[in-house]
Amino acid sequence: MLTAALMFGCKKEDNGTTCPVSGAILPTSSAENPIPAGSAVTIQGSGFTENSEIWLRALTKATGDVQATVTGHTSTSITFTAPTTVSGEQSIILKQDGGEWPLGKMYFTAAPDILPKKIVKSVLTDDEGTYTANYSYDDAGRLTRIQTSSTGDSYYDGSKIEYLQDKIKISYDDGNDEYSQAEFRVENGRAINCTVEEEGSKWETKEYTYSDNGYLTGFVFSLTEEGITDTYTGELTIGKDGCLEKYSIVEKEIEDGGYFGTYTVDLTPNTSVPNNLNLDLIGSNYLFGDIIDDLAILDAYLLGIGGTRSKYLPKQLTLTDADGESFTVKYEYESAGEYISKIGIDYGNGNHATLELFYEE
């Protein structure tokens, strides 16, 4: 990851008017590490107001300026959402009080073809019961709340998501009390660190690594319980067609002499089922939570901060543990028009589940 920032002098407008913002600092980006569409971008500087607007202008000027949605501002910073319709190098234009000034340049990547309707509910049915999740969003289209419940028992779980300047906080609750929290640090729309605290345990993903084209390829995490810290590494393999093909956890260090071992998940993509819903389904706990037991990965995908998303959803996956034992899970998809309406999950040995998806009107 490029973590440095570039500072640009805010130039005078063509008519000689002095720029109202001084010391503008833009996040670093490049053709190899562009800002993902839909991610939060913060510019530092002095003099921003509620009337400040951020526009993107292609260097070729083949198209008109594109206005970015400003999601927050202070006198020393402004945060906007990277537009989904631009790509390549763009001039960042400040428009304020009737004038406009260039702040610098940044690189962006256009969003994949994401279908417009949002998932508002999902229902998982298996041999033990039915589990319902309801999804809420803010005015910027960001996921802010997941409320889940089930039939046949007292199970309840949920999460609340807060978006800060360079962080995303997730609070997990059981309907009454909060029992754990996760905090992602985010740069250029990608997770760079995640800390989870739960009942005295602390789990920290210290490092995420990404490929030149933005795919998440690895991470290092540690788990601290009762004063003992175990450290592991994770690796992800992306195929030539832009699909997640392998996820593996490798033991790195066990301070108490225990053994965690290595396990690997091999995924076979279904090239007829694009991963193009508003939520990245690879981050769905209902689909992959029992296989990829890693909040720092699942939630990063679900929130769109896990780098470039896998192009297609899996046809099947096979988990192999350290003893060489393995099992395979298969997925079948039903669609209503362009939208996935139901996913059949075959765990083998006669165990099945279905996940139904419901969309906004």
Side-chain angles (χ1 to χ4, degrees), residues 152-361:
D153 57 31
S154 60
Y155 174 85
Y156 182 99
D157 199 359
S159 56
K160 180 177 67 174
I161 301 114
E162 299 176 83
Y163 297 86
L164 306 177
Q165 180 171 299
D166 58 353
K167 297 178 182 178
I168 299 178
K169 290 185 177 181
I170 307 176
S171 302
Y172 306 95
D173 62 65
D174 61 5
N176 297 305
D177 299 311
E178 179 183 308
Y179 61 80
S180 66
Q181 283 190 334
E183 181 177 286
F184 287 92
R185 285 187 55 220
V186 180
E187 286 185 2
N188 289 354
R190 300 173 188 162
I192 61 170
N193 174 277
C194 177
T195 302
V196 180
E197 296 188 12
E198 179 178 359
E199 299 179 352
S201 298
K202 182 177 180 180
W203 175 35
E204 182 177 14
T205 302
K206 300 179 179 179
E207 178 184 345
Y208 291 80
T209 55
Y210 297 88
S211 66
D212 287 345
N213 49 5
Y215 291 100
L216 179 61
T217 56
F219 55 97
V220 177
F221 69 93
S222 63
L223 174 63
T224 301
E225 293 181 300
E226 299 180 353
I228 298 173
T229 299
D230 299 334
T231 303
Y232 311 96
T233 61
E235 299 175 355
L236 299 96
T237 301
I238 305 297
K240 293 181 180 179
D241 56 358
C243 292
L244 178 62
E245 292 186 349
K246 181 174 290 188
Y247 168 92
S248 60
I249 296 294
V250 182
E251 174 189 348
K252 184 177 182 182
E253 181 180 353
I254 307 294
E255 290 187 0
D256 65 352
Y259 180 68
F260 182 82
T262 298
Y263 72 91
T264 298
V265 180
D266 293 289
L267 300 95
T268 302
N270 187 330
T271 55
S272 64
V273 184
N275 184 20
N276 62 353
L277 302 179
N278 74 295
L279 297 178
D280 184 345
L281 288 188
I282 290 180
S284 170
N285 190 55
Y286 284 159
L287 283 175
F288 303 108
D290 292 335
I291 308 300
I292 302 176
D293 187 15
D294 188 338
L295 286 176
I297 301 300
L298 292 179
D299 283 348
Y301 282 139
L302 192 67
L303 297 175
I305 56 174
T308 306
R309 66 164 62 185
S310 182
K311 187 175 182 180
Y312 299 106
L313 293 172
K315 180 179 181 179
Q316 69 176 39
L317 56 82
T318 300
L319 186 150
T320 305
D321 64 18
D323 297 325
E325 297 182 359
S326 65
F327 67 89
T328 297
V329 182
K330 299 180 180 179
Y331 301 89
E332 293 187 358
Y333 302 87
E334 296 181 20
S335 296
E338 295 181 282
Y339 291 85
I340 298 171
S341 57
K342 183 183 293 187
I343 304 173
I345 310 168
D346 182 355
Y347 296 104
N349 298 321
N351 296 316
H352 298 83
T354 59
L355 180 67
E356 297 179 86
L357 301 175
F358 300 86
Y359 302 86
E360 62 187 353
E361 297 295 332

